[in-house]
Amino acid sequence: PTVEIEIGIDGQYTIVSPYPNPTRGMAQLEVAVPEPQHVDVVVYDALGRHVQTLLSRELAPNRPERLRIGRALASGTYVIRITGASFRTTRKLTIVR
């Protein structure tokens, strides 16, 4: 018998990586989801320590959420972890003062 399997990863989320990157001041990050879901956006330093929670709430579908990061952070490389109900991804941001 023939079995058909469809695997789709498109349309789960949209993330615009932090820009400008590297930055001397503040960077902007955009997150959008196709369905309502709880999303967490958390910043970690290079040693894996929690630095800041940028977002932890339900997002409406197809409405980009713009987040600003960097103003209160020291120079260094940071990992931004974005977690939703159906996805988990990371982005890097470098701050140069």
Side-chain angles (χ1 to χ4, degrees):
T2 302
V3 177
E4 185 175 318
I5 299 174
E6 184 175 322
I7 300 174
I9 57 172
D10 291 341
Q12 290 183 0
Y13 61 89
T14 301
I15 297 178
V16 176
S17 292
Y19 63 91
N21 191 7
T23 183
R24 291 186 179 272
M26 197 164 28
Q28 186 168 299
L29 169 79
E30 290 184 21
V31 179
V33 293
E35 299 173 355
Q37 60 185 289
H38 184 88
V39 175
D40 293 313
V41 180
V42 182
V43 180
Y44 296 92
D45 67 11
L47 297 176
R49 297 178 294 201
H50 176 270
V51 174
Q52 185 178 20
T53 299
L54 296 176
L55 179 76
S56 183
R57 66 177 170 84
E58 187 90 6
L59 289 185
N62 301 315
R63 285 188 146 161
E65 183 73 27
R66 290 186 179 147
L67 306 169
R68 292 190 173 134
I69 179 175
R71 179 170 282 168
L73 299 177
S75 293
T77 300
Y78 295 87
V79 175
I80 305 166
R81 176 182 245 173
I82 303 121
T83 307
S86 60
F87 68 93
R88 179 180 303 167
T89 188
T90 59
R91 298 292 189 267
K92 287 186 180 179
L93 173 65
T94 301
I95 298 177
V96 181
R97 302 265 188 227

